[in-house]
Amino acid sequence: MSDYLTKIVESKKEYLADGQLETLGLSQRRERPMNSFTERVRNKHTLGILAEFKRSSPSLGAINHSVEPVFMANKYAQGGADGISVLTDELYFNGHMSDLQKVAKEVNLPVLCKDFIIEERQINQAYQAGAGIILPYCPNT
């Protein structure tokens, strides 16, 4: 694992150990059923597109801090995306779980929670926010 990834994962472990993981009440979870990315792309005769909402990255810096996640997700949907990936890591990507929650509530596409997911409670949080897919952190793969 690169030194950079090690730093990010260690920061995430500290964040979780400090009890900083935001708990979302089940009442905040979206009411409509989740859309399945697998079902959406299973019978397509073209590649499925998973578009990504990201405000910044450690390697590029700021990408667009002022853009609204629902606005971008709707643009992606209009452009033919089959799902939306929402970066929720705050420290390195300036994301937030509320971004995912807004997109899941307002856009009728499957939503992926993209973060450094290393604990089960993060999976539960993503599910409560409306994610139907997660991207877990898998070292050495």
Side-chain angles (χ1 to χ4, degrees):
M1 173 171 32
S2 75
D3 290 339
Y4 207 66
L5 280 178
T6 301
K7 180 180 175 183
I8 293 172
V9 172
E10 289 306 314
S11 295
K12 185 62 69 171
K13 287 177 183 176
E14 289 172 18
Y15 174 84
L16 294 168
D18 289 344
Q20 296 182 45
L21 184 68
E22 177 184 350
T23 32
L24 304 169
L26 287 175
S27 63
Q28 292 179 339
R29 194 170 158 265
R30 75 175 182 190
E31 294 177 13
R32 67 178 185 211
M34 279 188 228
N35 296 298
S36 167
F37 184 73
T38 303
E39 290 300 318
R40 187 164 175 91
V41 299
R42 178 171 279 146
N43 296 317
K44 287 184 76 163
H45 298 294
T46 60
L47 290 175
I49 298 171
L50 186 61
E52 183 168 82
F53 175 76
K54 174 172 30 177
R55 287 195 174 91
S56 63
S57 77
S59 59
L60 296 175
I63 296 169
N64 191 343
H65 285 265
S66 63
V67 70
E68 287 297 317
V70 173
F71 173 81
M72 257 342 282
N74 278 318
K75 288 291 188 187
Y76 290 150
Q78 291 167 9
D82 296 298
I84 308 293
S85 170
V86 179
L87 262 142
T88 58
D89 178 78
E90 294 181 51
L91 185 59
Y92 292 95
F93 293 89
N94 293 303
H96 196 271
M97 195 57 69
S98 65
D99 294 338
L100 186 144
Q101 198 169 23
K102 291 173 189 173
V103 170
K105 181 179 178 185
E106 299 295 330
V107 180
N108 194 25
L109 287 174
V111 179
L112 177 141
C113 178
K114 188 170 181 184
D115 204 320
F116 292 86
I117 297 179
I118 57 176
E119 289 188 10
E120 186 176 348
R121 58 191 171 130
Q122 291 175 276
I123 298 169
N124 294 333
Q125 181 193 40
Y127 176 79
Q128 288 177 346
I133 315 166
I134 60 162
L135 184 62
Y137 173 71
C138 300
N140 305 320
T141 58

